[in-house]
Each structure stands twice: as structure tokens, then as C-alpha cells.
Amino acid sequence: MRRVRTGCRLVLAMSVVLVSLGAPPSLAAPRPRAPQQARNKQRPRASPAPGPSSSEAPPSSLAPDAPTAPEATPPTPPPSAAPERPWAQGVSPENQQRALELFQTGNALLKDAVFVQASEKYRKALELWSHPAIHYNLALALMNLDQPLEVYEHLVAALRFGAEPLEADKFEYARNYKLLLEKQLARLDVTCDTPGATVLLDGKPLFQAPGHYSGLVRPGAHTFSATLQGYLPQNLNRTVLPGETANITLRLYTTEELTRYRRRFSVAMPWLVMGAGAALAGGSAWMHVRARAHFRSFDAGIAACGGCVPPLPLATQLERGYLLQTSAITGYTVGGAAFITGAILTALNQPQPYRIDPAQLAQPQVSIRPLLGGGSGGVQALVRF
């Protein structure tokens, strides 16, 4: 009996030692609640992340670099005792502790599906410590708030240091969901080379030119604009499709660069009309001179015969004079009208300024992207003018 009791005391003592030295249970990041859009489309082939539990400790990836909670068993060694992880460099233990507390509060809210408040806690935690696990959990909360652009941004931040700060299944899930978002969103490549121009996307400042922007946007219609004092503003409407890469080039032009001139008629036409009128008037003047010559011949013949009845040759001279005189008067009238018409056309044919569309000065853009799927492949080329 003494031996048995002694053995029981040894077993009980060993159990107490193991419990007091055991590490606290680790908490994996909360299970994502996929947004409605992602549920209706193809999901990445990765197992969902484990669900949250308010009674569990923070993720094991977060715990080594954060100070130990007060209720934990033996305290962790000071940070100088172990090499600092890359995602913890420059973060004081006090900020790590405060971020850890906010992280745990966000996990509890995420478990209760209070996504807005959970995302606020995670954002405050990130202000203190940009840890991949916090980025990951914030992405989970934003999935349920229909914020695909922010989800993508925080998934990229969560994957920055590889799988070490996350568990393997969470890293795989984040990577697959990131690839899924890239297929559901559209990518923009916006360029503007006009120095000092302000480039806007849907009315919000994008960058100051000269510069370039590349990023993801929701599919659909978007408005691109660029403004600069002394230049005409440029506005461009473009509809982008899921998975498409849209190349947008904005350039500002002055009024002079977009001003062209045009005439109502050809430059020569008014002058031809005026020339025809002048030529007709000149011909009429010659006929007038000839008519006066015939009149003088007739008067000389009558004077020679002493006022006799004009013979046929003299009568012919008179008739020719009247005919030429009538023709000259008609020529003067028509020629003068033509000359005046040509002068009016010359005034109306002055160059008229008009503004052209900036797209007429832009070079055609060709974008080529591969098409893969269904055991086949190809290339799609889009030419935009």
C-alpha cells in the first residue's frame, strides 16, 4: 500500500508540472465568411480558415512577437533573447501588446458577425503593428462588407512575408482568394505626361502628372479626367470588364493645339466668280467702244449725203451699233453682279475656327492579352482609336 500511494503521488506531481509548464493553446485566425459575390462564383480550392473563439489565445504566428498576456503561465523571454521577426522590426513591445488586445477584441466581434466594428478594431491594431495576421483577419471582415478592393489590398499585405507569420492553410486560402479577386476585378494602367496635371478617377484625385498608376477597380463604367490651368480639361469615359487590363493615356492640350480652321467654299471659287465678272465687264466695255464707232460711221454717212434717207450700208451700221450697245449694257450688268457676288463670297469665305476632339490627335492603342481555358488558348487584340 505504501508503494502504490507513493506511485500515485509521483504521477500527480508530474501532472501538475506538465500543466504549469504547458504552452497556452493557439488560436487560428477566424473562419472567413465569403461575400455573396464570391459564393455565386468560382471559389478557390482551399479549405476555409478555422473559425474564431473568444476564449482562445491569439494566433500562434502573432504570439511569439507579442508580449505574453498577464494570465499566461511562465512569461516569455524579453525580445532581445530571440531574433526579431521581420514583421515585428521597429515595433515596441508596448505597441505589440496594445495591438494584440485590439486583435483579440476584433476576433470576438468577428465571431459574432459584427463586421463593421471588427474591421475598426483591426484597423486600429494595424496602426500600432502591421502584422500579416491582422491584415488577414481584416480581409475576412471586409469580405462580408462587399469591399473587394480593400480585401485584395490586405490579402497582399498578409502574404508579404510568406507562410511563416500565418498558418499554412490560411496562407493557401489567402493566396487562392487573391487570385480569385484578380479575375473578378479589372486592372487600370493610367498614364499622363503633362507636367503639373491633376489626374482623377471617378472624381477622386489619383496622382499628379507626370506619372503612372496601376491598380484594381470594380468592373463597370469609370470616368478619367485630367485638369491643369491654361489647358483644356480632358474627360474620358471607359467601361472595363472583369479580368480586363485597361490602358488609359491622358494628355492635355492648349486651345491653340486643338483649334483648326475651315472655309465655307474653296479658296479659289470666290476669286473665280470675281474674275469672271471683271472679264465680262471688260468685254462689255469693248462692245461699247465698237458700238460708238458704228454710231460715228452712221453719223458721218448722213452728214455726207446732206440728211438723206440712209442707204442700206448706213442703216446696217446703225443696227450694229444698237446691238453692240445693248450687249455692252447687259454685260455691264451681269459682270458687275458677278464681281459683287465674288466679293461677297470672299468675305463669307474667311477661315472659321473650330475645335477638334483630342481623340483625333491620339495614336491608336493596341492591347493584347492571352485567352486560356477549356483546353485551348489564343490571343485577343483590342485596337482603340
Side-chain angles (χ1 to χ4, degrees):
M1 289 296 292
R2 292 182 179 178
R3 294 180 180 178
V4 173
R5 290 178 181 176
T6 303
C8 292
R9 291 176 182 175
L10 291 175
V11 171
L12 181 58
M14 292 177 65
S15 300
V16 172
V17 172
L18 290 176
V19 170
S20 61
L21 297 180
S26 62
L27 167 67
R31 180 187 303 273
R33 302 191 179 204
Q36 186 65 27
Q37 180 182 7
R39 287 199 296 267
N40 296 335
K41 298 184 179 181
Q42 179 184 1
R43 296 178 61 87
R45 296 181 178 178
S47 59
S53 174
S54 59
S55 61
E56 295 174 333
S60 56
S61 58
L62 187 59
D65 300 318
T68 306
E71 65 273 12
T73 46
T76 57
S80 58
E84 196 173 30
R85 305 289 180 89
W87 52 88
Q89 291 180 357
V91 183
S92 64
E94 293 78 12
N95 285 348
Q96 292 187 26
Q97 178 63 36
R98 292 171 57 193
L100 180 60
E101 294 172 356
L102 291 169
F103 178 79
Q104 293 171 335
T105 305
N107 287 351
L109 293 171
L110 185 61
K111 175 187 175 183
D112 296 334
V114 187
F115 304 116
V116 175
Q117 296 182 14
S119 61
E120 292 176 357
K121 296 297 181 181
Y122 291 138
R123 292 183 197 277
K124 292 181 180 179
L126 287 175
E127 294 176 0
L128 300 170
W129 190 5
S130 182
H131 194 286
I134 306 177
H135 283 287
Y136 178 84
N137 283 15
L138 177 55
L140 300 184
L142 294 174
M143 287 178 189
N144 298 274
L145 299 177
D146 191 25
Q147 300 292 335
L149 299 178
E150 286 194 73
V151 170
Y152 183 85
E153 174 186 348
H154 289 288
L155 287 179
V156 172
L159 298 172
R160 179 183 175 187
F161 296 101
E164 184 179 358
L166 300 172
E167 296 180 4
D169 58 338
K170 298 177 185 60
F171 179 81
E172 189 66 22
Y173 182 87
R175 185 172 59 181
N176 291 338
Y177 202 91
K178 171 179 170 289
L179 295 176
L180 176 62
L181 286 176
E182 290 176 350
K183 297 178 181 179
Q184 295 176 351
L185 299 174
R187 180 171 292 278
L188 296 179
D189 284 324
V190 185
T191 304
C192 182
D193 296 330
T194 305
T198 301
V199 180
L200 300 96
L201 171 61
D202 297 330
K204 298 180 180 179
L206 199 58
F207 64 87
Q208 197 82 10
H212 172 265
Y213 168 80
S214 179
L216 297 175
V217 295
R218 289 176 179 265
H222 294 276
T223 301
F224 307 88
S225 58
T227 57
L228 178 62
Q229 186 176 4
Y231 290 79
L232 297 172
Q234 183 181 8
N235 296 309
L236 176 63
N237 296 322
R238 177 74 179 276
T239 300
V240 292
L241 303 176
E244 178 186 3
T245 298
N247 297 308
I248 307 295
T249 301
L250 299 174
R251 181 184 174 186
L252 295 180
Y253 299 91
T254 62
T255 303
E256 292 74 15
E257 290 176 318
L258 295 181
T259 301
R260 299 291 183 271
Y261 297 90
R262 57 189 171 192
R263 300 175 183 268
R264 296 171 183 255
F265 322 102
S266 66
V267 178
M269 189 185 75
W271 296 101
L272 290 176
V273 175
M274 291 179 64
L280 187 56
S284 299
W286 178 82
M287 288 188 291
H288 197 180
V289 172
R290 293 298 301 163
R292 292 179 63 182
H294 284 291
F295 287 145
R296 284 194 297 268
S297 296
F298 176 79
D299 292 340
I302 293 297
C305 68
C308 61
V309 177
L312 182 60
L314 288 178
T316 302
Q317 291 290 333
L318 183 61
E319 291 178 357
R320 288 180 178 177
Y322 281 124
L323 179 62
L324 289 173
Q325 186 180 44
T326 303
S327 299
I329 294 173
T330 304
Y332 285 143
T333 304
V334 176
F339 188 87
I340 295 174
T341 301
I344 295 174
L345 292 177
T346 302
L348 294 176
N349 203 35
Q350 292 300 314
Q352 299 295 324
Y354 70 98
R355 186 178 299 173
I356 64 173
D357 189 344
Q360 296 179 242
L361 300 179
Q363 297 294 331
Q365 298 181 359
V366 180
S367 59
I368 300 177
R369 60 177 181 175
L371 296 176
L372 302 174
S376 61
V379 175
Q380 180 185 33
L382 297 176
V383 181
R384 300 185 184 275
F385 296 91

Coordinates of all heavy atoms in Angstrom, one line a residue, residues 31 99 154 235 362:
R31 N -12.6 32.0 -39.2 CA -13.1 31.4 -40.5 C -13.7 32.5 -41.3 O -14.5 33.3 -40.8 CB -14.1 30.3 -40.2 CG -14.6 29.7 -41.5 CD -15.8 28.7 -41.1 NE -15.4 27.7 -40.2 CZ -14.8 26.6 -40.5 NH1 -14.6 26.3 -41.8 NH2 -14.5 25.7 -39.6
A99 N -1.7 46.3 -29.7 CA -2.2 45.7 -31.0 C -2.8 44.3 -30.7 O -3.9 44.0 -31.3 CB -1.1 45.6 -32.0
H154 N -5.4 44.0 -48.4 CA -4.9 43.4 -47.1 C -4.5 42.0 -47.3 O -3.6 41.5 -46.6 CB -6.1 43.5 -46.1 CG -6.3 44.9 -45.6 ND1 -5.4 45.6 -44.8 CD2 -7.3 45.8 -45.9 CE1 -5.9 46.8 -44.5 NE2 -7.0 47.0 -45.2
N235 N -11.8 64.7 -70.4 CA -12.6 63.7 -69.8 C -12.8 62.5 -70.7 O -13.0 62.7 -71.9 CB -14.0 64.3 -69.4 CG -13.9 65.5 -68.5 OD1 -13.2 65.3 -67.4 ND2 -14.5 66.6 -68.8
A362 N -4.8 61.5 -80.7 CA -4.2 60.4 -80.0 C -3.9 59.3 -81.0 O -4.6 59.0 -82.0 CB -5.2 59.8 -79.0

